[in-house]
Amino acid sequence: MAAMFIDISLVGFMLAIAIMIMFSHRLFAIIVMSGAYSLISAAMFVNLDAVDVAFTEAAVGAGFSTVLFLAAMAWLPAEEKRDKALVVLPLMICVVVGALLLWGVMSLPPLGDPSSVVHHHVAPRYLAESYDKLHIPNVVTTVLASYRGFDTLGETIVIFTAGIGVLLVLTGATGRNPSQDENVEDEDEK
Amino acid sequence: MLDQLLSHWNYIIVVLLMMIGLFIVISSMNLVKKLIGLSLFQTSVFLFYISLGKIEGGTAPIIITSGHGDHGSYPSHDILYSNPLPHVLILTAIVVGVATTALGLSLVLRIKASFNSIEEDEILAEKRVMKSEGRSS
């Protein structure tokens, strides 16, 4: 019951922050609020037993990407120009898509149901066998690095490509702007 | 009905968060705010996956070992763990998400350098001007 209460209040917080982001026009405030949103989602992940994901989200989502945004803001205007955002068409699209998704979501098994289909494919095998085979207590690590090692290799390739992309875009053919190089270094640290 | 609402609470909020993210991406003219909307959307998808992996009464999927026999410790088998597979998928997705955010931000910086604006309508107007000038000359 306590876990459920924490769960409900945390997602409530996330919803409140998202709505504040939607109505805010100051970009610094928006960036800091999205950092807070990531941090609360990390707390949410701990509550849902995903400790590794929580670590990563807190470090990378709340920390690193906020820093990236703030670094980029040094060369960008701090205010969004108001009163020209589209409203009607996007709202209609969101309401339709949201209604369809809600319809789909309501037929999912309830949260935490152990008989849900998700829990009956390879996951039980990972939990039962991985410790005897590889002697690593953390199953997430085992799956990430061993059972799904190729996925992780693919992820590394994606990050490498993104790094090259950032370098090329920022130091492209029209000459180098020294003020933009700091951001490139940020990406290299990754 | 209320029961179903409570047991699906996470999923409902996730859909609302997704739609807020989507709304920001479509409606906002500011490129930085669009990127933030994209990351809101992304985080809500992460939350959806992790919610799917939760098992009631389960614990984090780190094998708890007990005893110290001749062959070292061995795992306790009577403990319920949450599903580790969504966690792995989302770990990958978080890191890839930051990589795409960095690429998007660098594109925004380049756009700012070229057009001196990060508002979509101003950039489009500028492009139109450049195009017509190119045609007349």
Side-chain angles (χ1 to χ4, degrees), chain A residues 42-64:
Chain A
M44 192 71 213
F45 294 150
V46 174
N47 197 35
L48 293 169
D49 300 337
V51 280
D52 308 76
V53 182
F55 276 132
T56 317
E57 179 68 31
V60 175
F64 185 70

Side-chain angles (χ1 to χ4, degrees), chain A residues 7 11 22 24 44 49 56 60 80-81 84 86 105-106 108 111-112 118-119 123 137 139 159 169 174 187, chain B residues 4 7-11 27-28 33 47 51 54 56 58 61 63 82-83 91 95 98 102 110 119 121-122:
Chain A
D7 188 292
V11 279
M22 188 162 68
S24 179
M44 192 71 213
D49 300 337
T56 317
V60 175
E80 181 194 22
K81 294 198 175 131
K84 55 181 186 188
L86 305 168
V105 144
M106 289 313 274
L108 281 173
L111 185 67
V118 192
H119 308 308
V139 184
I159 295 164
V169 167
T174 55
E187 177 56 28
Chain B
Q4 207 189 9
S7 63
H8 290 73
W9 175 261
N10 267 21
Y11 302 136
S27 78
S28 173
K33 200 172 172 186
L47 197 55
S51 300
K54 169 78 178 166
E56 192 72 56
I63 304 289
S82 284
N83 192 340
L91 271 183
V95 179
V98 168
R110 280 292 285 135
E119 304 284 329
D121 49 346
E122 289 175 9

